Amino acid sequence: MARAIWSGSISFGLLNVPVRMYSAVARRNIALREIRESDSARIKLHRFAEGTDEEVPREEIIKAYELTPGQYVPLTKDEMQALAPEKTRAIEVQDFVDLDEIDPIYFDSPYYLGPADGAERAYSLLAKAMQASGKVAISHFVLRNKENLAAIRSDGKVLTLTTMRFADEVVPAAELDILPEKESKPAKREQEMAEQLIESLSTDFDPSAYKDEYRRQLLSLIERKAEGKEIVASEAEPA
């Protein structure tokens, strides 16, 4: 059985549903170590004070905010702890909104919410009620000492929670000055051709149809080298 990474409850109005949170993503990154080529000795990183060869013990390291280059506001561990959000076990629902009102740019990391022991009936009730409403629950909760904004969705059986970025974390495109001042208007025929091309490539979304080719090739290379096979580098294609 999957291991829960957090437990608490979904709370709004008079409703309180105990839940457990599970990761909805299996990271497929390939962990590579750094070693010395001559003898395969592991390379380890150390913390040194800038401008010296003195290694700094972990207990002497604190956080600081850089006001200007080289000028810092130090923050002690006690000060940081005092500001940490209160560790509650509640996912507090603030609003219910339509999913299509949320720009996907706000979504971050997905999780599954499963019922805690004895909460199966309340969990099922909430899952079915949310599916029938077609709404998404915008919520606040604390995970790993960090306050999170989240959206809870339901397919009628399983609740999913996706953490979200706060509004001030998303940079408006207008601030980046990425578009020309004068809008370029395409010819009607060009736009129609572009729309026809989009239509010709339109299909139902199938996530399994998209593969990480770099990861697949890297794993293949690792497996062949582990088996002692000779690796011949292919010649680079001419520019």
Side-chain angles (χ1 to χ4, degrees):
M1 184 176 178
R3 182 179 177 182
I5 62 172
W6 184 89
S7 61
S9 61
I10 301 173
S11 175
F12 63 95
L14 299 176
L15 189 62
N16 189 281
V17 182
V19 293
R20 294 191 178 105
M21 183 183 294
Y22 304 87
S23 178
V25 175
R27 301 295 177 188
R28 301 299 185 189
N29 297 333
I30 300 173
L32 300 176
R33 305 290 188 186
E34 289 186 326
I35 62 173
R36 185 163 55 191
E37 188 174 9
S38 60
D39 60 2
S40 296
R42 281 275 304 276
I43 303 299
K44 292 193 174 182
L45 301 179
H46 297 276
R47 293 174 172 84
F48 289 93
E50 188 176 12
T52 74
D53 58 358
E54 179 185 356
E55 187 174 352
V56 182
R58 185 177 289 273
E59 61 271 14
E60 294 183 15
I61 299 174
I62 63 171
K63 303 289 187 182
Y65 181 81
E66 189 171 16
L67 282 176
T68 59
Q71 184 179 7
Y72 299 92
V73 177
L75 300 167
T76 67
K77 292 177 182 177
D78 289 341
E79 289 171 335
M80 293 291 291
Q81 186 130 13
L83 290 174
E86 183 183 353
K87 291 183 179 179
T88 67
R89 287 291 172 184
I91 301 173
E92 298 283 354
V93 176
Q94 290 187 255
D95 300 291
F96 286 91
V97 304
D98 291 329
L99 179 59
D100 58 11
E101 291 182 356
I102 306 174
D103 189 322
I105 200 171
Y106 287 98
F107 290 130
D108 192 5
S109 300
Y111 299 88
Y112 290 118
L113 295 177
D117 294 339
E120 293 82 3
R121 185 173 180 179
Y123 178 94
S124 178
L125 169 65
L126 179 59
K128 291 187 183 326
M130 285 189 62
Q131 184 197 36
S133 71
K135 300 288 184 180
V136 174
I138 305 300
S139 320
H140 273 90
F141 76 105
V142 176
L143 175 64
R144 301 190 184 103
N145 295 323
K146 181 180 181 296
E147 185 176 359
N148 290 272
L149 181 68
I152 301 174
R153 292 178 285 171
S154 173
D155 65 359
K157 293 182 179 179
V158 178
L159 297 176
T160 59
L161 177 148
T162 304
T163 55
M164 299 176 64
R165 298 175 180 90
F166 288 97
D168 60 359
E169 294 179 297
V170 177
V171 180
E175 291 184 11
L176 299 179
D177 193 27
I178 56 178
L179 295 177
E181 292 184 10
K182 189 175 181 180
E183 184 180 356
S184 177
K185 204 166 185 181
K188 182 179 179 182
R189 184 178 178 184
E190 292 175 330
Q191 183 168 334
E192 288 175 348
M193 288 177 63
E195 291 174 0
Q196 288 172 7
L197 178 59
I198 292 171
E199 181 61 31
S200 69
L201 294 173
S202 296
T203 185
D204 294 329
F205 177 61
D206 176 11
S208 65
Y210 309 98
K211 311 292 183 184
D212 185 342
E213 289 299 323
Y214 171 76
R215 178 177 176 273
R216 183 187 64 79
Q217 293 176 17
L218 181 56
L219 279 174
S220 175
L221 174 62
I222 292 170
E223 289 170 2
R224 284 182 284 139
K225 293 200 74 170
E227 292 170 359
K229 295 180 180 178
E230 184 180 353
I231 307 298
V232 179
S234 59
E235 293 184 9
E237 294 183 4

